[in-house]
């Protein structure tokens, strides 16, 4: 079975968040299971691309409105990521270093989708499944079915659309309608939601199946999806929740070259202590105290705006008895407020504002607890990395966090769970963490329990295969 994954991000080519981790791992596991999965990304002028070798396998041009763009399909020569990687290079549009935030982002992603479809169409390919991730590639199922240019060859190919974040829709106004090739106007309404072109809504309506990255998030979208609640309610029968896995080659606490010492799942104490000492030495913190960390984008969905108040209250209440470390980047006001806290708590609080993949590995390995007070968390990978690195996750019960973390007070539990994204609930969970840490044998027992869990991709990749098979019955 031949599958193309299309997305804006893929680790290690271009990463902003968990979307990249998923697109960089799932195809590899699918190939190991005997499928033929490839990834197609926009070209990014970034380290991975500069350091890899490519062959140009297709050259053509595509029309965006009145402007014609030459494009090239670049294929990575060695398949070193465990899958065929294709980049779409469009001089003047897809040749830049950043992934998002250019003023002509809509043009970039529409051109990306058109160039992909032109390539598949003109090179006479017939993949079994086109698997699109998030709104950046949400117009593909519609265009395959309802544009005159592609309908004839592509309308029978099955499409799967995975929602990693239903809060962002990529909507734009009808003044950009001309960027699309000629469409069958009887179906133009499928593009629309609330008077605009809405790629996320359009994908949900036009794909053969959509998935969310956890079962709980599938239900949540019907009550909270930034205006698409009704759509998810009526299209519900087409949806399926499949929890993400993690790439256990990249996130392996025994072989991870980015951390100080290996952590043995059956006897984690020694490895945890060594990693914690190294992390605390780097940040000049006392390794005898419990260490609670936060890693993530500083945005409202992650509850980052709550951290300054919650941290200052807890650090005051547990004066000199707990350390807190924050690694993140995003909203400037939140970052400023988090940095400012250092002056108030010079002995027990540290921040690193920025993106640092290696440090993230060290924080998962060296912390005792990892805090995730998310307001919205479609799956969440941080808690899965924590579980694998023996770090107790402290999570708000939402989305994928509900599906992956059980409170240590419940049967077979190992984490700390709370109900509300509020400073009060965060402070209460920190109280529980500080108290739990006083019984280090209990913490060690929880570590062993969580490190024995299996969140590798194997099971979830199988669920995707079953879903593909349900769409492409053997005749
Ligand atoms: P999201 O995709 O919504 O940001 P996920 O939990 O799915 O959330 O994935 C976040 C990913 O990004 C994880 O791999 C996490 O380690 C990484 N990450 C987030 N912020 C940083 C940062 N500042 N430095 C390094 N890695 C980060
Ligand atoms: C999104 C979600 C996150 C999820 C990730 C990968 O960025 O916010 O919860 O883990 O996608 O699916």
């Amino acid at each position: 079975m031949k599958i193309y994954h299309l997305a804006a991000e893929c680790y290690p080519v271009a990463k902003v968040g968990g979307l990249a981790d998923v697109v960089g791992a799932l195809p590899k596991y699918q190939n190991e299971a005997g499928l033929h999965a490839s990834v197609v990304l926009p070209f990014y002028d970034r380290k991975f691309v500069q350091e890899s070798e490519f062959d140009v396998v297709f050259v053509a041009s595509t029309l965006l409105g009145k402007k014609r763009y030459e494009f090239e399909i670049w294929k990575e020569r060695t398949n070193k990521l465990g899958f065929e990687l294709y980049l779409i290079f469009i001089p003047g549009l897809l040749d830049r270093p950043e992934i998002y935030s250019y003023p002509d982002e809509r043009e970039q992603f529409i051109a990306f989708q058109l160039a992909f479809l032109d390539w598949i169409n003109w090179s006479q390919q017939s993949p079994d499944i086109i698997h699109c991730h998030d709104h950046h590639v949400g117009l593909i199922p519609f265009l395959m079915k309802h544009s005159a240019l592609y309908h004839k060859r592509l309308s029978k190919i099955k499409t799967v659309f995975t929602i990693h974040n239903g809060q962002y829709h990529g909507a734009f106004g009808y003044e950009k309608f001309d960027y699309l090739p000629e469409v069958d106007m009887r179906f133009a309404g499928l593009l629309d939601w609330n008077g605009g072109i809405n790629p996320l809504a359009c994908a949900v309506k036009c794909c053969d199946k959509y998935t969310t990255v956890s079962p709980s998030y599938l239900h949540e979208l019907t009550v909270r999806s930034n205006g698409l609640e009704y759509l998810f309610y009526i299209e519900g029968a087409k949806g399926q929740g499949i929890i993400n896995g993690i790439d256990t080659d990249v996130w392996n606490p025994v072989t991870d070259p980015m951390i100080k010492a290996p952590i043995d799942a059956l006897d984690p104490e020694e490895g945890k202590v060594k990693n914690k000492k190294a992390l605390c030495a780097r940040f000049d913190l006392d390794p005898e105290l419990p260490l609670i960390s936060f890693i993530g984008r500083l945005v409202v969905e992650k509850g980052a705006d709550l951290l300054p108040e919650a941290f200052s209250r807890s650090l005051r209440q547990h004066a000199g008895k707990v350390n807190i470390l924050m690694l993140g980047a995003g909203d400037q006001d939140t970052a400023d407020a988090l940095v400012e806290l250092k002056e108030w708590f010079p002995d027990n609080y540290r921040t690193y504002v920025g993106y640092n993949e290696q440090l993230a590995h060290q924080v998962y390995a060296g912390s005792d607890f990892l805090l995730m007070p998310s307001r919205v968390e479609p799956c969440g990978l941080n808690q899965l990395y924590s579980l694998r690195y023996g770090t107790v996750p402290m999570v708000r019960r939402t989305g994928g966090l509900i599906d992956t973390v059980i409170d240590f007070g419940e049967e077979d539990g190992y984490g700390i769970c709370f109900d509300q994204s509020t400073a009060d609930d965060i402070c209460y969970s920190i109280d529980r963490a500080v108290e739990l840490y006083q019984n280090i044998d209990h913490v060690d027992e929880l570590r062993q329990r969580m490190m024995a869990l299996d969140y590798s991709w194997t099971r979830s990749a199988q669920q995707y295969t079953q879903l593909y098979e349900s769409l492409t019955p053997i005749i």
Side-chain angles (χ1 to χ4, degrees):
M1 187 170 336
K2 187 164 168 56
I3 303 118
Y4 277 116
H5 288 275
L6 278 104
E9 300 179 34
C10 171
Y11 180 82
V13 188
K15 171 169 169 176
V16 172
L19 169 64
D21 291 11
V22 171
V23 178
L26 171 62
K28 185 168 84 175
Y29 286 83
Q30 291 181 323
N31 287 335
E32 281 169 13
L35 309 187
H36 179 179
S38 309
V39 172
V40 187
L41 289 186
F43 176 98
Y44 296 112
D45 189 9
R46 293 169 87 92
K47 192 165 177 273
F48 178 91
V49 176
Q50 291 153 3
E51 290 173 355
S52 303
E53 296 196 332
F54 291 86
D55 294 310
V56 175
V57 294
F58 188 79
V59 179
S61 68
T62 195
L63 206 55
L64 190 70
K66 292 192 175 56
K67 200 161 171 197
R68 185 162 285 285
Y69 283 95
E70 306 290 325
F71 72 86
E72 293 175 358
I73 306 287
W74 291 30
K75 179 177 184 296
E76 194 274 316
R77 199 168 279 168
T78 61
N79 294 350
K80 61 184 169 187
L81 300 181
F83 47 80
E84 290 169 14
L85 170 71
Y86 296 92
L87 305 180
I88 301 188
F89 176 70
I90 307 184
L93 212 52
L94 300 181
D95 56 356
R96 306 173 186 171
E98 297 307 324
I99 304 170
Y100 305 117
S101 311
Y102 290 106
D104 56 356
E105 186 173 295
R106 300 283 175 262
E107 286 79 349
Q108 286 187 301
F109 285 115
I110 295 173
F112 172 63
Q113 297 172 84
L114 297 180
F116 168 74
L117 292 173
D118 282 343
W119 172 44
I120 299 295
N121 196 24
W122 302 125
S123 58
Q124 308 264 320
Q125 297 186 56
S126 301
D128 298 285
I129 302 284
I130 293 185
H131 190 151
C132 303
H133 299 262
D134 272 354
H135 69 82
H136 316 98
V137 286
L139 296 175
I140 292 218
F142 171 83
L143 292 170
M144 287 166 64
K145 288 195 172 98
H146 303 301
S147 79
L149 198 56
Y150 309 121
H151 172 85
K152 193 155 170 247
R153 275 209 77 255
L154 306 185
S155 62
K156 296 279 184 302
I157 298 173
K158 301 297 177 190
T159 54
V160 173
F161 182 68
T162 293
I163 300 166
H164 297 260
N165 195 333
Q167 301 302 305
Y168 300 107
H169 304 167
F172 54 90
Y174 277 96
E175 70 282 358
K176 294 193 192 324
F177 181 76
D178 283 351
Y179 289 158
L180 306 182
E182 185 191 337
V183 301
D184 183 338
M185 288 308 287
R186 289 173 302 166
F187 299 99
L190 291 168
L191 290 164
D192 191 276
W193 196 262
N194 233 354
I197 296 178
N198 186 314
L200 186 87
C202 180
V204 170
K205 291 186 233 176
C206 298
C207 67
D208 291 292
K209 262 284 191 183
Y210 71 88
T211 66
T212 57
V213 288
S214 69
S216 289
Y217 193 57
L218 184 70
H219 298 297
E220 261 177 44
L221 286 173
T222 61
V223 284
R224 192 177 151 141
S225 50
N226 228 351
L228 299 187
E229 295 77 11
Y230 181 63
L231 175 70
F232 284 110
Y233 175 68
I234 51 176
E235 294 284 0
K238 246 170 48 177
Q240 185 179 341
I242 301 180
I243 197 86
N244 286 334
I246 61 175
D247 188 332
T248 46
D249 298 333
V250 177
W251 297 95
N252 183 338
V254 176
T255 58
D256 189 338
M258 299 193 215
I259 65 175
K260 180 74 182 172
I263 309 169
D264 179 351
L266 297 176
D267 186 10
E269 196 187 343
E270 193 189 334
K272 286 298 288 182
V273 168
K274 283 187 181 158
N275 282 293
K276 184 175 178 186
K277 277 193 176 147
L279 184 65
C280 288
R282 174 172 177 170
F283 285 97
D284 190 23
L285 289 168
D286 177 0
E288 295 302 319
L289 299 181
L291 176 59
I292 299 175
S293 299
F294 171 91
I295 300 178
R297 294 181 292 121
L298 301 178
V299 293
V300 171
E301 292 109 76
K302 301 286 176 195
D305 53 306
L306 303 167
L307 296 178
E309 185 194 334
F311 286 169
S312 67
R313 275 168 54 184
S314 287
L315 285 163
R316 207 162 283 141
Q317 190 191 334
H318 299 285
K321 298 209 175 73
V322 64
N323 288 332
I324 295 181
L325 173 63
M326 190 300 293
L327 163 62
D331 177 66
Q332 197 54 49
D333 288 346
T334 308
D336 290 346
L338 284 164
V339 169
E340 203 186 308
L341 273 189
K342 272 199 277 192
E343 290 175 22
W344 296 94
F345 305 101
D347 296 332
N348 300 105
Y349 173 74
R350 299 288 180 268
T351 49
Y352 180 107
V353 176
Y355 188 90
N356 187 328
E357 189 78 25
Q358 181 169 16
L359 180 56
H361 283 243
Q362 291 163 1
V363 174
Y364 291 119
S367 304
D368 299 301
F369 300 92
L370 188 101
L371 177 65
M372 296 179 74
S374 307
R375 290 193 174 86
V376 182
E377 198 62 83
C379 176
L381 296 173
N382 297 16
Q383 81 281 12
L384 302 182
Y385 300 144
S386 298
L387 294 175
R388 190 147 165 83
Y389 282 60
T391 299
V392 178
M394 301 163 64
V395 306
R396 185 203 159 206
R397 287 191 180 94
T398 184
L401 301 175
I402 298 175
D403 299 338
T404 53
V405 182
I406 304 173
D407 190 274
F408 77 89
E410 293 168 30
E411 201 183 337
D412 296 330
Y414 42 81
I416 294 179
C417 302
F418 51 98
D419 288 324
Q420 306 292 332
S421 274
T422 58
D424 281 351
D425 270 27
I426 297 173
C427 289
Y428 179 60
S429 75
I430 293 177
D431 295 347
R432 289 184 73 203
V434 172
E435 197 186 324
L436 174 62
Y437 191 79
Q438 285 167 8
N439 184 349
I440 199 68
D441 290 342
H442 191 185
V443 175
D444 206 45
E445 198 186 306
L446 299 183
R447 284 177 185 151
Q448 290 180 41
R449 195 174 291 171
M450 66 180 92
M451 289 184 82
L453 299 170
D454 179 7
Y455 277 108
S456 69
W457 263 111
T458 317
R459 196 170 25 144
S460 303
Q462 251 169 22
Q463 287 180 275
Y464 279 109
T465 306
Q466 283 162 2
L467 185 151
Y468 297 159
E469 283 171 353
S470 73
L471 296 176
T472 54
I474 300 155
I475 303 159

